Amino acid sequence: MKAKENIFKIIFLMTAGFSILAVILICFFLFTNGIPAMNKIGLTEFISGKKWKPGNDLYGILPMILGSIYVTAGAVLIGGPVGLMTAVFLAKFCPPKLHKIIKPAVDLMAGIPSVVYGFFGLMTLVPLIRDISGGSGSSMLCAIVLLGIMILPVIISVSESALNAVPASYYEGARALGASHENAVFFTLLPAAKNGIFAGIILGTGRAIGETMAVVMVAGNQARMPKGLTKGIRTLTSNIVIEMGYAAELHRDALIATGVVLFVFILLINLSFNLIRNRGKL
């Protein structure tokens, strides 16, 4: 029995070590190739430069940084409230028979490939925005709406699990003190589940900022400073996937350096979540 336990401990240790090793190798590849490129271009010029023209040796990624920030923030502003309210409905208001229909539908949304979402946006959202606002329709607004839809399954699933994990005594105590069902849910259960809800929003944010294929199909992919919701933009991920196939030398290294910036963004998002969560425990 003791030998079996030791074997499983070794297996679990090896799998955990493999995950850590994979992260270390990714970091090593990104930083060893990206940092020298930043030094060649100039960190200030690379981060704050407004022009991306590899043919003229201009590698400024500020338009892509702003594009990623705007699209991600807009998607969270749309998907966050909708996802949270849907999770509240599923957890505390939805009849059991209806829950058996909606919950599998939400889970199915999580399994739809990004390219299918992109095709939906290209065939539905782009023409709709074109008819309403004019222009090509491929725009920041289209990317925001599409990503807002794509992050819903993550936010809904994590938030619903967080609400269901709150001890029943919280709800029962609020009801015993005279609170209505709605007040007990919104003013007792939601605050108690805030860490889990934050986790869902952070995961949704990571999904939005890291999304590539769907954004490439609907955002217009114009490497210029954002000029409005109905104008085309390019994000960091789109910039990498569009040009990596033919990039070489400094151009290729600049794209890898773009990945470094994206990686730092993800780290900052996770760090912010940990700070908020730890502060909530104090």
Side-chain angles (χ1 to χ4, degrees):
M1 193 67 179
K2 187 70 174 176
K4 268 187 188 179
E5 291 180 1
N6 290 334
I7 291 173
F8 279 108
K9 284 181 181 178
I10 293 172
I11 293 173
F12 294 146
L13 179 61
M14 289 175 62
T15 53
F18 178 78
S19 301
I20 296 172
L21 179 62
V23 174
I24 292 173
L25 290 175
I26 292 171
C27 293
F28 178 78
F29 169 78
L30 284 176
F31 285 100
T32 54
N33 289 276
I35 298 299
M38 290 184 186
N39 291 333
K40 290 179 183 177
I41 299 167
L43 181 60
T44 302
E45 177 61 28
F46 183 68
I47 298 296
S48 61
K50 297 181 180 180
K51 293 184 178 180
W52 177 270
K53 295 182 178 180
N56 297 331
D57 286 335
L58 295 174
Y59 299 98
I61 63 169
L62 183 60
M64 280 70 80
I65 291 176
L66 294 179
S68 293
I69 292 174
Y70 292 163
V71 167
T72 301
V76 173
L77 286 175
I78 291 175
V82 174
L84 177 58
M85 291 300 102
T86 304
V88 171
F89 173 73
L90 289 174
K92 300 301 175 185
F93 293 93
C94 186
K97 290 184 179 180
L98 186 59
H99 188 279
K100 292 180 180 179
I101 298 174
I102 297 179
K103 181 61 176 175
V106 171
D107 294 337
L108 180 62
M109 284 180 65
I112 297 175
S114 298
V115 69
V116 176
Y117 278 109
F119 188 71
F120 163 77
L122 189 62
M123 295 292 103
T124 305
L125 297 179
V126 170
L128 179 63
I129 293 174
R130 184 193 303 133
D131 293 340
I132 294 174
S133 63
S136 66
S138 297
S139 60
M140 183 194 305
L141 178 60
C142 189
I144 286 173
V145 174
L146 185 61
L147 285 180
I149 296 171
M150 292 179 68
I151 66 175
L152 284 176
V154 176
I155 297 176
I156 293 171
S157 297
V158 176
S159 298
E160 184 188 5
S161 298
L163 288 166
N164 289 330
V166 176
S169 58
Y170 283 58
Y171 174 81
E172 293 168 356
R175 292 286 282 162
L177 292 173
S180 65
H181 175 62
E182 291 77 11
N183 286 337
V185 171
F186 284 98
F187 297 106
T188 302
L189 297 185
L190 275 180
K194 63 181 180 180
N195 285 342
I197 293 171
F198 274 129
I201 293 175
I202 292 298
L203 290 172
T205 303
R207 170 76 191 274
I209 199 171
E211 181 54 47
T212 305
M213 187 53 65
V215 175
V216 167
M217 296 175 72
V218 302
N221 305 311
Q222 298 170 8
R224 65 183 185 185
M225 295 294 289
K227 295 183 178 180
L229 284 173
T230 58
K231 303 297 183 181
I233 59 161
R234 181 182 290 187
T235 62
L236 291 168
T237 53
S238 299
N239 194 48
I240 296 170
V241 75
I242 289 171
E243 300 189 5
M244 184 58 80
Y246 60 86
E249 299 179 349
L250 184 58
H251 184 192
R252 175 181 175 276
D253 292 339
L255 293 175
I256 296 175
T258 303
V260 172
V261 175
L262 183 63
F263 184 75
V264 170
F265 274 0
I266 298 296
L267 288 180
L268 290 176
I269 290 171
N270 289 332
L271 179 61
S272 300
F273 166 67
N274 287 329
L275 290 175
I276 293 172
R277 182 179 61 182
N278 292 334
R279 187 176 64 180
K281 292 180 180 179
L282 296 177

